[in-house]
Amino acid sequence: MTISMYQASIPVFLRALDNLAAIMDVGAAHAEAKKIDPLVLTGTRMYPDMFPMSRQVQIACDMVKGGAARLAGIEPPPRGDTEKTFAELKERIEWTAAFVRSVTAEQVDGSEDRAIVLKTPFGDLNFTGQQYLLGFVLPNLYFHSATAYNLLRHSGVELGKRDFLGRA
Amino acid sequence: MTISMYQASIPVFLRALDNLAAIMDVGAAHAEAKKIDPLVLTGTRMYPDMFPMSRQVQIACDMVKGGAARLAGIEPPPRGDTEKTFAELKERIEWTAAFVRSVTAEQVDGSEDRAIVLKTPFGDLNFTGQQYLLGFVLPNLYFHSATAYNLLRHSGVELGKRDFLGRA
């Protein structure tokens, strides 16, 4: 037996988004309790030339938006990157989850050998659907989610790994 | 069509370990070039109650060691957590990769519905093989690898996301 491309992508994406949304709530509550400007937390960076927390969340969202769309063979719905507050970031996550949920198993299953081309400033990246999911979308999703988590944790927000993994 | 449990695990684990080993090399070279005690870098933490960089690498290794073993239906080979230097951490990664490589597709394929029980200090965690891989091993692997990366990046080590993702 085997696992389907749908099972390996859509429910996994939704769980990661749910966890990220809950982490935004913890960050917002921390800012309020400690009387910290929330924009300090959403704007914090690991190093001056790295993206701020808000952008880490936006990229995590775009990874699963692009992943769901490309595996389904449809265009990712466009959206700008304007979110600054925890509430705006949470709305971005929920908007992304609504799109991911709209993709069906019929669209995604069978995509493991589909040719996927990602246009990047550094040239085209060519994948099969399976390579794209396992070698690009999932590591990027978790990289940016973990970086958002680490930035809040580094700022004193009380989070535990269970917030990152979710409760099974 | 579908993907096999072996394809979704063993090559993915090996790539993540290769990338983590290369990140150790970049950290070691940075310490040498900047005349920084390497143990400062391997001992750095995101927050006082989080694990140091060295332990993040050890946990990432244990996630794939346990993942490969349990999906194959064998016992994970025991190993203590004594590594402190970049060279020792790299050897740990390579030891782990050698074990992961020893697991075969015949052992892992068909494990998606296998009952997997993880004993933890907080009680037993019960998974199917597929839940264990997609909802526990992969997010933990990337969480701890990304945290090791972020700790070095935060310390001024020149890394880019391509070091984390690997070159396809």
Side-chain angles (χ1 to χ4, degrees):
Chain A
M1 276 178 60
T2 52
I3 53 182
S4 74
M5 285 294 285
Y6 181 85
Q7 289 166 331
S9 58
I10 304 303
V12 175
F13 297 170
L14 289 172
R15 182 165 166 182
L17 290 173
D18 273 357
N19 297 336
L20 197 55
I23 287 169
M24 294 302 105
D25 285 342
V26 177
H30 178 89
E32 191 171 337
K34 303 288 184 185
K35 316 273 188 237
I36 296 167
D37 180 351
L39 296 183
V40 173
L41 295 181
T42 62
T44 189
R45 297 168 193 257
M46 201 60 76
Y47 203 68
D49 66 354
M50 273 184 90
F51 287 127
M53 205 288 285
S54 56
R55 186 88 186 96
Q56 304 292 341
V57 173
Q58 290 163 349
I59 299 175
C61 286
D62 274 356
M63 282 293 155
V64 295
K65 179 185 77 171
R70 292 190 186 94
L71 293 176
I74 61 179
E75 278 293 310
R79 171 146 179 163
D81 294 316
T82 57
E83 300 84 6
K84 296 284 181 213
T85 69
F86 282 111
E88 287 165 352
L89 290 168
K90 195 171 171 194
E91 192 275 325
R92 168 73 172 260
I93 296 167
E94 287 167 351
W95 178 87
T96 303
F99 170 69
V100 170
R101 263 193 301 273
S102 76
V103 168
T104 67
E106 288 66 33
Q107 290 173 297
V108 171
D109 280 344
S111 62
E112 54 276 3
D113 294 325
R114 182 175 301 157
I116 290 180
V117 183
L118 266 192
K119 308 261 172 217
T120 82
F122 317 104
D124 288 358
L125 296 177
N126 290 281
F127 303 97
T128 64
Q130 178 179 317
Q131 291 167 339
Y132 172 64
L133 175 62
L134 297 173
F136 188 83
V137 176
L138 290 178
N140 264 298
L141 164 62
Y142 291 126
F143 176 87
H144 291 285
S145 302
T147 302
Y149 171 104
N150 280 327
L151 283 165
L152 292 179
R153 193 76 164 72
H154 183 60
S155 303
V157 177
E158 288 179 22
L159 290 164
K161 201 171 64 180
R162 203 171 290 190
D163 296 300
F164 180 82
L165 292 178
R167 285 143 224 271
Chain B
M1 278 177 61
T2 53
I3 54 182
S4 75
M5 285 294 285
Y6 180 85
Q7 290 167 329
S9 58
I10 304 303
V12 174
F13 296 170
L14 290 171
R15 182 166 166 181
L17 290 173
D18 274 356
N19 297 337
L20 197 54
I23 287 169
M24 296 301 105
D25 285 341
V26 177
H30 179 89
E32 191 172 337
K34 303 288 183 185
K35 315 274 188 235
I36 296 169
D37 179 351
L39 297 184
V40 173
L41 295 182
T42 62
T44 189
R45 297 169 192 258
M46 201 61 73
Y47 203 68
D49 66 355
M50 272 183 91
F51 287 127
M53 206 289 286
S54 57
R55 187 87 186 96
Q56 304 292 343
V57 172
Q58 290 163 348
I59 300 175
C61 286
D62 275 357
M63 282 293 154
V64 296
K65 179 184 78 170
R70 292 190 186 95
L71 293 177
I74 62 179
E75 278 293 311
R79 169 143 181 167
D81 294 315
T82 57
E83 301 84 4
K84 295 283 181 213
T85 69
F86 281 112
E88 288 166 351
L89 290 168
K90 194 171 172 192
E91 193 275 325
R92 167 75 171 260
I93 296 167
E94 287 167 350
W95 178 87
T96 303
F99 170 69
V100 170
R101 263 193 300 272
S102 76
V103 167
T104 66
E106 289 66 34
Q107 291 173 296
V108 172
D109 279 343
S111 62
E112 54 276 2
D113 294 326
R114 183 176 298 157
I116 290 180
V117 183
L118 266 194
K119 308 260 174 220
T120 82
F122 318 103
D124 288 356
L125 296 178
N126 290 281
F127 302 97
T128 64
Q130 178 179 320
Q131 290 167 341
Y132 173 63
L133 174 63
L134 296 174
F136 188 84
V137 177
L138 289 179
N140 264 298
L141 164 62
Y142 291 125
F143 176 87
H144 292 286
S145 302
T147 302
Y149 170 103
N150 279 328
L151 283 164
L152 292 178
R153 193 75 165 73
H154 183 60
S155 303
V157 177
E158 287 180 21
L159 290 163
K161 202 170 65 181
R162 205 172 286 190
D163 296 300
F164 179 82
L165 293 178
R167 281 143 227 270

